[in-house]
Amino acid sequence: MRCAVGCGHVQQAPDRGYGLGSVRGDPSHPVNRGLACQRGVSETADPDGEWLTRPLVRKGGELVPTTIESALERAAEGLGTALEDSGSDSVAVLGSGQQTNEAAYALGKLARGGFGTRYYDANTTLCMASAVTAYYDAFGSDAPPPTYDDIPEAETHVVWGANPSAAHPVMFRWIRQSADDDDSELIVVDPVHSETAEVADHHVPLEPGGDLALARAVLARVIETDRVDEAFVDEATVGFDELRDDLPDAAEAAEMAGVSMADVDHLTDALEDPTLLYWGMGINQSVNGTAAAGALIDLCLATGNLRPGSGPFSLTGQANSMGTRVCSSKGSWPGHRPFADPDHRRAVAETWDVPVSRFPDDPGPGPVGIVDAIGDDVEAVYAVATNPVAGMPDTTRVREKLEHAFLVVQDAFRSETVEYADVVLPAATWGESEGTTTNMERTVSRVRAATETPSGVRTDLALIGDLADRIVPDLFDETPEPESVFDEFAALTAGTPADLSGISYDRLEAERAVRWPAPAPDVSAGYRYYEAGDAGDERTTTDDAPADESWSFYTESGRARFSTGEARALPEPTDESYPFTLTTARRPDAYNTGVRTREDEPPTARVSPATAAAIADDLEAPADGHMSDEADEGDEGRQYGRVVSRRASVTVCVETDDAIPDGVVWLPIHHPDVNDLTLPDVDPRSNEPNFKQCAVRLEPPREQDVRAVAEASA
């Protein structure tokens, strides 16, 4: 699997050598039933990028090959010396949604129970932390209530700040199939006329950063037009009256969001039908991410869209983001045990056989805060399956910080972060590792090794165990093996909101995939928080719902909570010097920081025709003297320019595209140069960065940049 849809793949080894010979969708897997997207197949079977096949250590300023034992000894020495000299917080650990559940659990055990550091997080915080915080605020628990089973039952599909056509093609096929029914509709809320908006029944092109204002406008209109599900709100929620009293005027909020009242009314009308409301990075990656995600959940609560076939559905990106959230001890202990709760801390410490006093008092400041601490508290960094030099905001600052730390990088591909490492540990990837993973609808699946690896390459789990043995002996009773680690992790979740204790490797072998909560070997949950009456019960005449339906949530009151989040001003509005707004998004053919789909050319900056006309004098024609053959009819083709923010400037190919609103510059998240431009401001509650809006201008390219591009293209 390549993304959080969680498609099962059949992977086969080549006739000779390492790697994978073929990959296809698994017809017997209950998630995708044989479907697969081209990106998932090609990135797995035929990835671009440079495989790491030998351990490396830095000598004389250069990375040189060495043996795996020498590399592990050097890594253990550097990390161990920092711990011994300066204490537990001197080592930072960065994990990833690209690890198996077992590796993520083991890494958290090492970071929290072995090192005792508060400076531990994962790149999942860069994409999902705001949704997580909003779910906790509303339901007292993380993860969406709906599942894929609810998609065909929904009548309205609202995709807000996401582009699943590009990011989650298999899932989007199900959404389109449902929306194509005569009584169904697909609505897309996005500043960009994306691939998803292209096939939607209705597109709402709000201003970048206008999501919270628009959601509040819709809620105000729901109330004004008597669309509130009063019975549900009274029975199952708290906080509605307080929120209602603080709502803005619908028309004023719509104006702030840059949309018409007709669009507000269209969304208001649509929410009367069973609605699945999906959102993604366009909501989360903002200083208002938690508040905006909470406002979308409020829309579902106010309209009673918290039954099967409806509800708030955050779209997770990486293959195992959900698993990392459940098991890695990043923001909560395994099973979503509260981090600060003394009873839960004691239970985890007893399972790990470590003193509870070793645990940090808080889960830490998030990835941006970890970078801030390098050079002060933090002296050494252990980065596993992540590429912060490309994936963090304001990456010039990240590079400067990492230059002053002892850095161990564990990865399958040679990334930008590898170039700053003191030790490089080559790791196995999907198709080479044993374990499990968890998709965005809470379904756990087995992953298996279809091929062997070169002698210097080990799995993430094995490498974590190797370092633990050298730095914190006896943290693992024996060499960690996937099944025994999973059993330990699953047992530790018993009785928690994310209970996996009824899942085992034997059960996964028999059923292929199991959705949590699964507290017993014969239980696999569906829709969360909701319980309907028997099929034979009489139904109400108002909403065709069972008369004795009920809800229960992991909150003190047992009810869902409406949010109270208020909008913060965007950290970097446009001005005369930086008149355009940069936004970043996914391409259909690439993923994460692009190490598997890397191109040598500069990133493509998409701008509207009006924006292109405004900057025409600042652009330069392609160095080979002709326009792009890929240009649409009437498009003047690609030209070179530089996108400049207050932090950096990046050479780009400028492409005119009617899908981009005026005044916006669109760049792909996958190119390693793009995050030189973005700013490190974060949501104050989730610590997720504001990747989606920063102020930029466009300038002529430097002559040496154009020459370099021309030489690379020759």
Side-chain angles (χ1 to χ4, degrees):
M1 62 180 62
R2 297 303 319 145
C3 79
V5 174
C7 295
H9 287 162
V10 176
Q11 303 177 132
Q12 294 179 321
D15 293 334
R16 287 184 294 178
Y18 302 106
L20 293 170
S22 66
V23 178
R24 58 182 172 84
D26 182 357
S28 64
H29 197 279
V31 169
N32 57 311
R33 301 193 184 280
L35 294 176
C37 69
Q38 184 55 47
R39 182 191 65 220
V41 171
S42 60
E43 278 198 9
T44 305
D46 188 27
D48 295 326
E50 180 183 344
W51 289 88
L52 291 171
T53 59
R54 297 185 65 183
L56 305 171
V57 295
R58 189 168 297 279
K59 291 184 178 180
E62 300 292 330
L63 287 171
V64 298
T66 187
T67 65
I68 185 63
E69 292 302 322
S70 295
L72 286 166
E73 288 297 332
R74 179 71 185 96
E77 178 187 4
L79 299 174
T81 297
L83 291 167
E84 184 176 347
D85 292 348
S86 303
S88 58
D89 287 341
S90 63
V91 171
V93 179
L94 296 172
S96 170
Q98 293 296 312
Q99 300 171 268
T100 62
N101 288 318
E102 293 77 4
Y105 173 78
L107 185 65
K109 184 175 180 177
L110 176 60
R112 300 303 200 191
F115 300 161
T117 183
R118 69 185 294 264
Y119 294 113
Y120 164 55
D121 215 298
N123 56 23
T124 52
T125 296
L126 303 178
C127 56
M128 292 311 302
S130 293
V132 169
T133 307
Y135 277 138
Y136 272 113
D137 286 348
F139 308 130
S141 176
D142 179 20
T147 74
Y148 298 157
D149 295 337
D150 295 295
I151 294 175
E153 304 303 318
E155 294 181 22
T156 301
H157 300 268
V158 178
V159 177
W160 196 313
N163 186 13
S165 175
H168 305 104
V170 171
M171 182 183 185
F172 186 60
R173 178 171 175 173
W174 304 326
I175 294 172
R176 282 198 68 182
Q177 287 173 339
S178 177
D180 283 343
D181 291 344
D182 291 339
D183 60 349
S184 295
E185 182 180 23
L186 171 60
I187 304 172
V188 172
V189 182
D190 198 316
V192 173
H193 195 75
S194 65
E195 291 87 346
T196 303
E198 185 69 26
V199 298
D201 298 292
H202 190 78
H203 175 216
V204 181
L206 77 170
E207 289 287 328
D211 305 281
L212 179 56
L214 176 55
R216 289 304 189 221
V218 175
L219 181 56
R221 196 67 178 141
V222 165
I223 294 171
E224 290 172 5
T225 56
D226 295 324
R227 313 288 182 91
V228 175
D229 186 334
E230 299 283 0
F232 171 78
V233 169
D234 289 345
E235 178 184 348
T237 73
V238 294
F240 181 67
D241 291 340
E242 292 86 345
L243 175 57
R244 178 170 50 192
D245 291 342
D246 288 338
L247 284 176
D249 175 75
E252 292 178 1
E255 184 177 1
M256 289 178 59
V259 304
S260 68
M261 279 303 295
D263 282 332
V264 172
D265 283 336
H266 193 104
L267 286 164
T268 302
D269 293 343
L271 289 167
E272 279 201 285
D273 297 320
T275 299
L276 278 171
L277 202 166
Y278 316 84
W279 76 90
M281 303 309 101
I283 291 291
N284 297 334
Q285 291 180 333
S286 166
V287 292
N288 292 311
T290 297
L296 299 187
I297 296 173
D298 290 340
L299 290 178
C300 293
L301 294 178
T303 56
N305 277 296
L306 208 74
R307 299 176 173 93
S310 68
F313 204 153
S314 61
L315 301 180
T316 308
Q318 294 181 77
N320 200 33
S321 290
M322 179 66 73
T324 301
R325 288 148 65 179
V326 172
C327 70
S328 71
S329 303
K330 179 178 70 73
S332 59
W333 301 109
H336 294 162
R337 294 172 180 266
F339 197 87
D341 186 282
D343 293 333
H344 287 291
R345 292 166 70 87
R346 187 161 47 251
V348 175
E350 290 174 355
T351 297
W352 291 353
D353 194 24
V354 298
V356 71
S357 60
R358 185 177 296 173
F359 292 160
D361 294 334
D362 63 72
V368 172
I370 289 174
V371 170
D372 290 340
I374 296 174
D376 295 321
D377 289 350
V378 174
E379 300 173 7
V381 179
Y382 178 29
V384 180
T386 188
N387 186 15
V389 169
M392 293 277 284
D394 190 9
T395 49
T396 300
R397 174 174 151 276
V398 177
R399 291 191 293 269
E400 291 171 351
K401 286 283 191 174
L402 288 177
E403 284 179 341
H404 300 290
F406 177 82
L407 175 62
V408 179
V409 175
Q410 181 172 308
D411 213 328
F413 288 85
R414 188 153 188 152
S415 68
E416 287 72 24
T417 305
V418 164
E419 304 308 320
Y420 290 82
D422 295 281
V423 180
V424 179
L425 303 175
T429 184
W430 307 112
E432 302 173 334
S433 301
E434 296 283 337
T436 60
T437 187
T438 311
N439 74 356
M440 74 172 83
E441 59 142 13
R442 300 176 270 115
T443 296
V444 180
S445 300
R446 282 278 278 120
V447 293
R448 295 172 176 81
T451 183
E452 296 180 348
T453 58
S455 59
V457 177
R458 297 182 182 177
T459 67
D460 280 329
L461 179 60
L463 290 168
I464 293 164
D466 289 334
L467 283 177
D469 284 345
R470 289 166 169 79
I471 303 172
V472 196
D474 302 324
L475 180 66
F476 296 97
D477 293 336
E478 53 190 23
T479 301
E481 295 293 338
E483 185 170 7
S484 61
V485 171
F486 182 87
D487 289 344
E488 178 181 307
F489 150 63
L492 193 50
T493 69
T496 70
D499 193 331
L500 282 77
S501 60
I503 305 177
S504 65
Y505 273 33
D506 287 343
R507 183 177 180 185
L508 291 173
E509 186 70 30
E511 299 180 35
R512 308 305 298 272
V514 179
R515 188 185 297 125
W516 66 260
D522 59 348
V523 175
S524 179
Y527 201 98
R528 301 177 79 197
Y529 312 131
Y530 172 83
E531 185 174 345
D534 294 334
D537 289 347
E538 292 185 5
R539 292 180 174 270
T540 65
T541 58
T542 54
D543 59 7
D544 198 33
D548 61 347
E549 63 183 358
S550 62
W551 293 264
S552 61
F553 303 94
Y554 292 98
T555 59
E556 290 184 4
S557 66
R559 295 166 172 249
R561 299 178 291 217
F562 281 91
S563 71
T564 57
E566 296 183 357
R568 302 176 70 204
L570 292 180
E572 196 172 75
T574 58
D575 57 23
E576 290 185 2
S577 298
Y578 299 91
F580 303 121
T581 298
L582 171 68
T583 192
T584 61
R586 298 192 189 280
R587 285 193 347 228
D589 58 345
Y591 216 71
N592 297 331
T593 59
V595 294
R596 295 172 181 260
T597 52
R598 188 56 49 81
E599 298 176 355
D600 293 330
E601 292 187 359
T604 295
R606 298 160 61 198
V607 298
S608 73
T611 303
I615 61 171
D617 292 341
D618 292 330
L619 301 181
E620 184 167 320
D624 59 6
H626 68 271
M627 299 303 180
S628 169
D629 292 335
E630 299 176 359
D632 293 332
E633 184 176 352
D635 191 330
E636 294 184 351
R638 294 184 179 185
Q639 295 176 290
Y640 293 130
R642 287 188 72 76
V643 178
V644 183
S645 76
R646 289 181 172 85
R647 288 152 296 283
S649 62
V650 173
T651 299
V652 298
C653 292
V654 180
E655 187 175 88
T656 304
D657 191 336
D658 289 321
I660 309 302
D662 295 344
V664 170
V665 178
W666 183 103
L667 281 171
I669 66 169
H670 318 287
H671 196 286
D673 293 344
V674 168
N675 278 321
D676 285 355
L677 302 167
T678 55
L679 68 165
D681 292 60
V682 300
D683 181 289
R685 304 223 16 249
S686 69
N687 292 320
E688 183 163 349
N690 192 95
F691 283 108
K692 294 303 180 190
Q693 305 96 23
C694 71
V696 297
R697 63 173 179 261
L698 282 143
E699 293 182 349
R702 297 184 303 214
E703 182 179 349
Q704 62 266 34
D705 295 330
V706 176
R707 189 182 308 117
V709 172
E711 291 173 354
S713 302

